[in-house]
Amino acid sequence: MHSDIVIVGGGAGGLELAARLGRRLGEKQGRERVLLVDRDPFHIWKPTLHEVAAGTLDAHQEGLSYPVLARRNHFSFAIGELAGLDAGGRSIELAEIRNAEGELLVPRRTVSYTRLVLAIGSGSNAFGTPGIEHAYLLENVRDAQRFHTDWLNACARASFAGSRSLSIAIVGAGATGVELSAELLEAHAELLGSLSAGQRFRLDITLVEGGDRILGGLPEKISRQARLALERKQVKVRTGTRVTAIERGALVTPDSPVPADLIVWAAGIKAAEANAGFGLEVNRLNQFVVDDRLRTSADGVLALGDCAACPWEGGKTVPARAQAAHQQADYLARVLAALLREQEVAEPFVYRDFGSLVSLGDNKGVGNLMGGLAGRNFFVEGLVAKWMYMSLHLNHHRAILGTGKTAVLALARLLQQRVSGRLKLH
């Protein structure tokens, strides 16, 4: 199998790149020249995983089929996971695929390319913490669905327990930890509405952060507002607290243990250990080191998104955010389309930080918008911030579905919530 452009990873950046290239090249050329590879058959926007975990978003309704997206956007799709890279021979190896019973479905395959784009994302950074296996990670849809199932079981258990309480500890107060806290509170409130008075239970959430404030990568005003909003909802926020180990049913800290029925690890990101074995230069977080044109250390191999360490101002690297992947996909679509026409794009990739938005549930949110009118930065909160947060999700869908289909999809999901409710209880 050969494709001029092979994109490994169908996350926000990889899928948008495939869709943009496919549409630029047209129905016939796009399918012949652009191949997207992903280990899952359907796509879900990673920033919504905390909603899937809480049950306030149904992955089966939210998920988009890669084969359908490929047909509509004129690229080819192959299911598979990257198992090897021969940069000199310009080929990759895709691992075999087996079913739940271990039967071989698809053998190991070789795909040759003219240019390869790695968009395989990143995972959680456990920092070598002992007992990490006792915590839930939210790295993909399967992780979120597993937590959701156990969360519902824990809710059922708590509604009949003598203590009438359920405790959850979330390690890491970045965007994922903060948003998961708020989303679980909303899910709990929805659930209580279906229970009799004798079955209602209390939800205790403790958010544990090693830094001196939550949302440490965002402006301090956002951090203060978010903490105030969470504490008003009775979330216990513990900053400056290092987790030294995780035991079944508790976090171990230098001060005192934090008991918890469920533990979620949302602290830090790190690319896959396997990245170091592909023969490309990587940094200490296993990200592929790229230049200002997103080129790795191997000729013909590029990288974007969370798996790429791209230089930024002040000696920093571009942050691992969905907006960065979106901008890099747009840049590479122009670069690769020009290369297919045997032309060059001279300008390097320049990341623009448009700010950050954090959802706090209940039609609330906080955020900052960068580089607005006259170069000023703006702080937004409440319903306006929540609507803008939702618009980011819709903008991603618009990039891969188009404006019309995105509008229809948004309306259909709104009507579905009106009919069946917001909380998924199965």
Side-chain angles (χ1 to χ4, degrees), residues 209-359:
E209 168 59 39
D212 58 0
R213 62 185 178 92
I214 69 173
L215 299 172
L218 303 184
E220 195 167 340
K221 185 175 183 180
I222 294 180
S223 175
R224 288 198 307 270
Q225 290 289 92
R227 178 164 187 160
L228 180 62
L230 291 176
E231 289 179 337
R232 283 175 176 169
K233 295 169 180 279
Q234 307 304 312
V235 175
K236 300 173 186 175
V237 181
R238 291 180 54 169
T239 54
T241 303
R242 186 170 60 91
V243 176
T244 57
I246 301 175
E247 298 176 348
R248 187 179 297 276
L251 297 177
V252 179
T253 73
D255 302 323
S256 59
V258 179
D261 298 302
L262 299 173
I263 297 170
V264 179
W265 185 274
I269 64 167
K270 188 175 183 179
E273 299 284 347
N275 289 358
F278 293 140
L280 306 176
E281 182 184 356
V282 297
N283 64 7
R284 61 182 179 81
L285 297 177
N286 297 322
Q287 294 172 301
F288 302 113
V289 176
V290 299
D291 62 13
D292 59 3
R293 285 169 172 77
L294 304 182
R295 297 174 298 197
T296 70
S297 56
D299 186 40
V301 182
L302 305 103
L304 67 80
D306 293 3
C307 72
C310 179
W312 194 31
E313 58 188 26
K316 297 180 290 186
T317 58
V318 172
R321 296 179 185 170
Q323 63 170 305
H326 172 79
Q327 293 177 41
Q328 290 171 342
D330 184 55
Y331 171 78
L332 281 185
R334 290 185 289 110
V335 168
L336 292 171
L339 288 173
L340 289 173
R341 297 191 302 267
E342 298 184 354
Q343 298 173 347
E344 293 281 345
V345 173
E347 69 270 17
F349 170 71
V350 178
Y351 171 66
R352 293 185 61 196
D353 188 350
F354 290 103
S356 300
L357 295 165
V358 178
S359 172

Side-chain angles (χ1 to χ4, degrees), residues 3 59 75 95 109 135 137 202 279-280 324 339 404:
S3 285
F75 62 86
R109 294 150 289 160
L137 307 178
R202 186 180 73 254
L280 306 176
L339 288 173

Side-chain angles (χ1 to χ4, degrees), residues 9-202:
L15 178 56
E16 288 188 21
L17 175 58
R20 291 176 189 275
L21 280 173
R23 291 197 299 266
R24 286 189 184 208
L25 294 173
E27 184 172 357
K28 183 177 180 181
Q29 282 202 25
R31 294 196 208 289
E32 292 177 348
R33 310 189 78 173
V34 180
L35 172 67
L36 176 68
V37 177
D38 196 272
R39 63 184 179 181
D40 290 313
F42 69 95
H43 165 78
I44 190 167
W45 199 45
K46 192 172 181 179
T48 62
L49 287 180
H50 67 282
E51 296 177 70
V52 176
T56 52
L57 185 71
D58 189 341
H60 297 289
Q61 293 177 3
E62 175 64 21
L64 300 173
S65 165
Y66 283 120
V68 172
L69 293 172
R71 186 180 71 249
R72 290 177 176 173
N73 291 286
H74 314 313
F75 62 86
S76 297
F77 172 73
I79 190 167
E81 186 171 4
L82 183 65
L85 166 62
D86 179 3
R90 299 210 173 205
S91 67
I92 60 172
E93 292 284 331
L94 300 182
E96 61 185 22
I97 300 174
R98 295 181 178 272
N99 62 16
E101 288 73 37
E103 297 173 328
L104 181 65
L105 300 178
V106 181
R108 193 177 180 98
R109 294 150 289 160
T110 299
V111 179
S112 60
Y113 62 84
T114 304
R115 289 178 179 86
L116 172 68
V117 181
L118 298 173
I120 52 182
S122 62
S124 302
N125 191 346
F127 302 103
T129 305
I132 189 66
E133 65 273 10
H134 298 307
Y136 294 88
L137 307 178
L138 296 181
E139 297 181 354
N140 52 53
V141 177
R142 291 181 297 277
D143 289 342
Q145 291 175 322
R146 173 173 163 259
F147 174 83
H148 176 63
T149 299
D150 291 351
W151 145 256
L152 288 180
N153 291 338
C155 288
R157 190 181 306 113
S159 67
F160 289 95
S163 63
R164 291 287 195 275
S165 67
L166 171 62
S167 59
I168 298 178
I170 301 174
V171 183
T176 298
V178 169
E179 291 179 339
L180 178 61
S181 299
E183 212 65 31
L184 287 173
L185 288 169
E186 282 210 0
H188 176 249
E190 291 266 349
L191 185 60
L192 290 187
S194 67
L195 299 177
S196 64
Q199 290 182 300
R200 292 177 183 174
F201 61 95
R202 186 180 73 254

